[in-house]
Amino acid sequence: MGVVLLVICVALCQLLLTAAVQAEVVVNPIVNDHFVAEILNFDLEHVTPEDFAFLEQQLLQFKVLAIRNQGHLTVEGQRRFSKLFGDLHVHLESASHFEGYEDVNLVSNIKNAEGKYIGLYGKHVEEFHSDLSWAPMPCKVTILKSEIRPELCGATDYLDTVSAFYALPADKQAHYRALLGKYCYLNHKNVSSTGMDNLRPEEIEKARECAIHPLITKHPRTGQYNVYANPSHTNSILLHANHPTDEEVAAARADLQALFAHTGQFDRFGYRHEWKDHDVVIWDNRAVHHRCPDDMPRKLVRTTVNNDEVPKGDVAYDDHNRSSFGSRFYDEL
């Protein structure tokens, strides 16, 4: 009887402790009740299963979370927390790997003595994109910690691509849901023989590979549609003919640019996060796009978490329907 009471007391104490920790957390919606929230009094270095379940639910609701006051968060702590979402991605640019960790990246526009960026950077980060959308298996979550930021804050822009989709007219929603696109890492990244791009020869070959994903994907957890096509990585639409007419090619180009223009309406769908010291920002790549809007010096530590499955929508490029598509994209004509 005494043992049973002891077990019950321990369980109650753990429950009360968890409740006390959660009660201290403050969630402040920033844009609205479904896009961007500030999280206060949350310790990413020591995350319990209950803490993670709470934070994951906030991420599914708000898509972007700005977690304040994480100066004590170590690289190992960031990795440990990130792994709660799933397997970490190893970026093909090995020059960007954080020293001692192949699954942690530096993101920086600061250059070393050789004139090379010390982390991931380039025109492709200045355009709106979803992380790793160019890969066959992209990333679902990105965790970014500020290490060095300019005195004028520095910023990262985000787009609510779920709201952007549902703001389309019904006929346009149906039209875009039926289209596939080609997503490429080198769409906006210049590769030269000088090595200034930080890519090794074998990495360049891998970077030339592209992936085919729907223009519109469906979130596996929320069931919401999202404009996945983005100007940084999506460079063309897969046509339904091997020998399309000039009119079909022109229409495909116009379709893609119109979708970019609609989604990129920053006053309707955007949020600019102005970094504070020790911020950690987490976002769901299945529901937002992001970009770096300025060239002020910065250094951030990034972890990215692989998707559990390939991006899915109403149409897929697989053995069941591959024959209904042509074999070429309009940019290859």
Side-chain angles (χ1 to χ4, degrees), residues 175 178-182 212 236-255 317 321-333:
H175 173 69
L179 297 177
L180 294 169
K182 184 167 75 169
I212 299 175
S236 56
I237 290 174
L238 183 60
L239 301 175
H240 285 266
N242 283 320
H243 302 287
T245 65
D246 292 343
E247 290 76 12
E248 288 172 326
V249 172
R253 289 190 174 122
D255 269 348
Y317 191 65
N321 68 0
R322 186 172 286 115
S323 61
S324 70
F325 288 94
S327 60
R328 306 183 73 180
F329 293 83
Y330 66 70
D331 68 319
E332 297 171 339
L333 301 174

Side-chain angles (χ1 to χ4, degrees), residues 220-244:
R221 296 285 299 278
T222 67
Q224 295 175 315
Y225 285 104
N226 150 71
V227 179
Y228 198 60
N230 59 85
S232 181
H233 295 149
T234 314
N235 71 357
S236 56
I237 290 174
L238 183 60
L239 301 175
H240 285 266
N242 283 320
H243 302 287

Side-chain angles (χ1 to χ4, degrees), residues 109-142:
N109 58 359
I110 299 172
K111 294 182 178 181
N112 60 21
E114 299 175 347
K116 296 182 178 181
Y117 292 121
I118 64 172
L120 292 171
Y121 198 73
K123 184 173 175 57
H124 60 299
V125 307
E126 298 170 2
E127 296 275 2
F128 277 114
H129 62 283
S130 175
D131 278 337
L132 282 299
S133 59
W134 49 267
M137 183 65 76
C139 290
K140 60 181 179 180
V141 175
T142 298

Side-chain angles (χ1 to χ4, degrees), residues 89-107 112 116-121 124 132 134 185 189 195 197-207 302:
H89 176 79
V90 177
H91 200 279
L92 63 85
E93 286 196 41
S94 58
S96 72
H97 294 172
F98 194 96
E99 185 176 0
Y101 300 94
E102 67 174 7
D103 53 9
V104 180
N105 294 105
L106 283 179
V107 177
N112 60 21
K116 296 182 178 181
Y117 292 121
I118 64 172
L120 292 171
Y121 198 73
H124 60 299
L132 282 299
W134 49 267
Y185 183 54
K189 187 174 177 66
D197 42 59
N198 284 1
L199 285 169
R200 297 175 179 175
E202 65 273 16
E203 294 171 345
I204 291 176
E205 289 306 309
K206 186 173 180 60
R302 186 184 85 162

Side-chain angles (χ1 to χ4, degrees), residues 180-201:
L180 294 169
K182 184 167 75 169
Y183 296 70
C184 303
Y185 183 54
L186 300 184
N187 190 27
H188 280 300
K189 187 174 177 66
N190 295 323
V191 176
S192 66
S193 59
T194 63
M196 296 295 287
D197 42 59
N198 284 1
L199 285 169
R200 297 175 179 175

